[in-house]
Amino acid sequence: MTEKLPYKISTLCFLFDERGRLLLLHRAKEPNKGVYSPIGGKLKMDEGESPGQCAIREIYEEVG
């Protein structure tokens, strides 16, 4: 049996365009409703997801 960690691991993805502008999302749901933030999310640790895989998944989920 795998021991559960007392914390979550997450990624933040800083995406810039060719002019150096940073892409931020305007969050619509709690707990960060109304806040601008980079793309990111929690690793699916129970599936063995790596931080790199998590970053790619979150980018596709949040911006396509």
Side-chain angles (χ1 to χ4, degrees):
M1 180 175 186
T2 306
E3 184 178 339
K4 285 209 139 229
L5 297 175
Y7 52 85
K8 301 264 186 199
I9 298 174
S10 62
T11 61
L12 283 178
C13 307
F14 294 86
L15 303 178
F16 295 89
D17 69 8
E18 64 280 347
R19 292 173 46 195
R21 297 177 296 177
L22 174 63
L23 176 64
L24 296 174
L25 300 177
H26 190 220
R27 299 291 179 176
K29 297 179 184 177
E30 294 297 344
N32 298 316
K33 185 176 182 176
V35 175
Y36 288 92
S37 67
I39 294 164
K42 295 176 186 71
L43 264 70
K44 293 183 177 179
M45 295 171 55
D46 56 330
E47 297 177 17
E49 185 176 53
S50 73
Q53 291 168 325
C54 178
I56 291 167
R57 178 180 53 78
E58 289 293 341
I59 291 168
Y60 280 110
E61 285 179 4
E62 296 186 11
V63 296

